[in-house]
Amino acid sequence: MARQLILVEGLPGSGKSTIAKMVSDILIQQGLQVQLFQEGNLDHPADYDGVAFYTAEEFEDLLSTYEACRGILESGATTYRNGYLIPYRKIKEERGKDFPDDVVQEIFSRDIYELSFEQNVDLITAKWRSFTESVLSAPDDSITIFECCFIQNPLTIGLVKCNQSREDNVQYVLDLERIAAPLNPLLIYIHQQDIAYTFDKAMKERPKEWSDGFIHYYTNQGLGNSKGYQGVEGTVKVLQARKELETEIYHMLKMDKHWLDNSDYNLAACREELKKILKEES
């Protein structure tokens, strides 16, 4: 069966973005058609970034509250089931000051990753089913590469934000595996031996706003809040719990998979190992 999907996963700072781009480059060098969707892509075909969901009643209330933006909201939203999807980040990029920040902030409260765990699972799994069906019906044989949306995003809401049970979190990812199975996916999991070092490195390389927001997200809700974790040390403890669960899930998955150790951040060594892993794709 032809490979149609490659998944790149790992903790923040592990090198996901770099490795995902490296995988794309290697496959392109093999003469294959590749589509790479990295974290933050507003047009992601199997996930949502900067998209909110409103029921029909909630959407009408939103329009009534922000009458001046009614035209923008009505033209930007798309109907979905019994409600509407609002790609508010994309609308903000396109409309700028015409789409005020207070409206964006209000809509953010209904972001798909701010909804309940059950709502998130429902919307995301439906999106994955739609993606899989679209790939299977497409005439080309390109390979799609996803960064972080297969394990990281489900556990971010399930464990980090909502502190759901182990069983709930595991089932979420296993459901995604089942949905994507017809695409013969390959998982490349990027391992980091020292999580505290990895997070410290990420904080030094990224803006302070990123680390402040990350620490707040990881310690003021979900697992971190339930354990009373605080600051950098508490964030690392949540990351360690996430890594333990991700490792357990990795071993449960039946798809083709490879554990890529990037603890030394040796990109040349990673590239050579990836070439071996991806050799069979050509």
Side-chain angles (χ1 to χ4, degrees):
M1 184 189 303
R3 179 91 59 208
Q4 294 177 284
L5 179 63
I6 295 178
L7 306 161
V8 180
E9 294 287 338
L11 293 184
S14 62
K16 292 191 301 297
S17 297
T18 301
I19 297 299
K21 182 63 167 61
M22 195 177 290
V23 170
S24 175
D25 291 343
I26 292 171
L27 292 177
I28 290 173
Q29 289 171 4
Q30 292 179 3
L32 299 173
Q33 296 182 20
V34 177
Q35 295 185 84
L36 171 61
F37 293 92
Q38 294 191 282
E39 188 172 7
N41 191 310
L42 300 183
D43 295 310
H44 202 291
D47 201 7
Y48 292 106
D49 195 304
V51 179
F53 175 74
Y54 278 72
T55 65
E57 183 178 353
E58 290 168 342
F59 186 62
E60 189 55 44
D61 288 343
L62 180 70
L63 295 178
S64 299
T65 302
Y66 298 99
E67 190 66 40
C69 292
R70 177 180 286 271
I72 294 175
L73 290 169
E74 289 182 332
S75 62
T78 57
T79 56
Y80 183 76
R81 295 179 176 174
N82 63 331
Y84 295 85
L85 293 171
I86 307 177
Y88 62 92
R89 281 189 56 198
K90 181 178 284 190
I91 295 173
K92 180 62 177 177
E93 285 188 359
E94 294 173 352
R95 304 302 294 262
K97 293 181 180 179
D98 290 338
F99 195 49
D101 291 340
D102 61 325
V103 182
V104 175
Q105 192 59 39
E106 171 64 29
I107 297 174
F108 168 75
S109 67
R110 299 290 302 169
D111 185 282
I112 288 169
Y113 280 94
E114 293 295 318
L115 300 177
S116 70
F117 177 74
E118 292 75 16
Q119 287 177 297
N120 176 273
V121 171
D122 180 48
L123 288 160
I124 296 297
T125 53
K127 189 75 180 287
W128 273 83
R129 281 193 292 271
S130 176
F131 163 71
T132 298
E133 291 168 3
S134 69
V135 172
L136 292 175
S137 63
D140 62 59
D141 57 355
S142 65
I143 297 178
T144 302
I145 303 170
F146 287 162
E147 174 205 346
C148 88
C149 70
F150 175 64
I151 296 178
Q152 173 178 287
N153 289 2
L155 294 196
T156 295
I157 187 167
L159 180 71
V160 180
K161 180 176 175 58
C162 299
N163 197 23
Q164 295 290 131
S165 68
R166 168 199 168 276
E167 291 75 17
D168 285 343
N169 283 292
V170 169
Q171 192 59 53
Y172 192 173
V173 180
L174 293 184
D175 283 345
L176 296 184
E177 178 189 33
R178 175 181 51 79
I179 292 168
L183 305 182
N184 189 24
L186 166 68
L187 169 64
I188 299 173
Y189 189 92
I190 307 170
H191 170 66
Q192 287 289 340
Q193 185 67 37
D194 190 335
I195 295 174
Y197 172 79
T198 300
F199 185 58
D200 182 67
K201 184 174 183 294
M203 287 195 300
K204 290 177 179 177
E205 294 175 348
R206 303 180 186 186
K208 188 174 184 298
E209 292 77 14
W210 177 87
S211 57
D212 287 347
F214 194 94
I215 291 168
H216 183 272
Y217 191 93
Y218 266 62
T219 58
N220 285 355
Q221 59 186 344
L223 177 65
N225 183 60
S226 72
K227 297 289 188 180
Y229 293 155
Q230 297 180 356
V232 174
E233 182 179 352
T235 302
V236 170
K237 288 181 179 179
V238 179
L239 285 168
Q240 288 171 335
R242 195 186 122 186
K243 179 60 178 292
E244 290 174 6
L245 185 53
E246 291 188 1
T247 302
E248 181 181 354
I249 290 172
Y250 176 89
H251 290 295
M252 295 174 69
L253 294 169
K254 295 179 174 62
M255 65 173 62
D256 292 340
K257 56 196 175 184
H258 190 91
W259 190 266
L260 181 65
D261 194 329
N262 191 33
S263 299
D264 295 332
Y265 292 97
N266 187 331
L267 295 182
C270 282
R271 178 176 287 276
E272 290 307 307
E273 186 168 356
L274 286 171
K275 285 181 179 179
K276 295 176 183 177
I277 297 168
L278 300 169
K279 185 176 182 181
E280 62 187 44
E281 309 304 335
S282 58

